[in-house]
Amino acid sequence: MKTIHLSRPQEQINSTFSYTICIDGKPVRELKNGETIKLEIDENAELLTTKLMWCGSQAISLSDIEDGTTVQVKANTLLNRVLPFLTIALLFLGILFSDGTLMKTIMTSMIGLSILLLIGTLTIGRNNWLQTEPI
């Protein structure tokens, strides 16, 4: 049996939700906000992923992780903070600059593009919502 430590920093993003730790696609443990746990892994296990509802992280190979290594699980800052803020900022800019027809067209296009990016992130890029990496 190999032992690794999973650490989740105290974060404001997703703070009310626990991350589900999955080994080879099967949930084995929950990781709460600010928690560090010790996890014993079978030698035959191959992949470690973390899940949050329908989103998650990229799978990392357990063969690359040595015994006693700490693996940090955290939210992806770009996807969790910047993209929703950008969408809201563009919406307000569209409202402020909606007096001219050209500006209205440009801002509507930008808002539509940011909403498409947000939807694409939640569907196609959902496995980049969390970051799981050895430290």
Side-chain angles (χ1 to χ4, degrees):
M1 294 288 259
K2 185 188 326 186
T3 302
I4 63 171
H5 301 277
L6 293 166
S7 174
R8 179 179 173 191
Q10 189 74 26
E11 48 189 6
Q12 294 294 324
I13 303 170
N14 306 323
S15 63
T16 57
F17 300 105
S18 296
Y19 297 159
T20 303
I21 307 302
C22 299
I23 306 275
D24 293 333
K26 298 175 186 149
V28 293
R29 190 90 190 259
E30 296 277 324
L31 186 62
K32 296 178 182 172
N33 194 19
E35 186 178 31
T36 300
I37 60 172
K38 184 164 66 167
L39 188 64
E40 292 186 1
I41 301 170
D42 186 24
E43 294 293 330
N44 299 328
E46 296 177 11
L47 298 173
L48 171 75
T49 56
T50 53
K51 296 288 182 190
L52 173 65
M53 292 181 252
W54 68 89
C55 299
S57 70
Q58 294 286 329
I60 58 172
S61 175
L62 289 171
S63 61
D64 298 341
I65 299 174
E66 297 180 15
D67 190 29
T69 302
T70 300
V71 176
Q72 186 176 42
V73 180
K74 60 183 180 177
N76 186 326
T77 306
L78 174 69
L79 299 181
N80 284 284
R81 285 189 182 168
V82 175
L83 197 58
F85 176 74
L86 180 66
T87 305
I88 293 169
L90 285 175
L91 179 65
F92 283 122
L93 284 174
I95 292 169
L96 289 174
F97 295 112
S98 63
D99 54 350
T101 57
L102 178 63
M103 278 306 276
K104 186 183 283 188
T105 304
I106 291 171
M107 293 311 295
T108 304
S109 301
M110 289 178 69
I111 291 169
L113 179 63
S114 66
I115 290 172
L116 283 176
L117 283 172
L118 190 60
I119 291 170
T121 300
L122 292 174
T123 56
I124 298 168
R126 69 180 185 266
N127 287 333
N128 293 319
W129 197 257
L130 301 174
Q131 294 175 332
T132 304
E133 53 195 21
I135 53 172

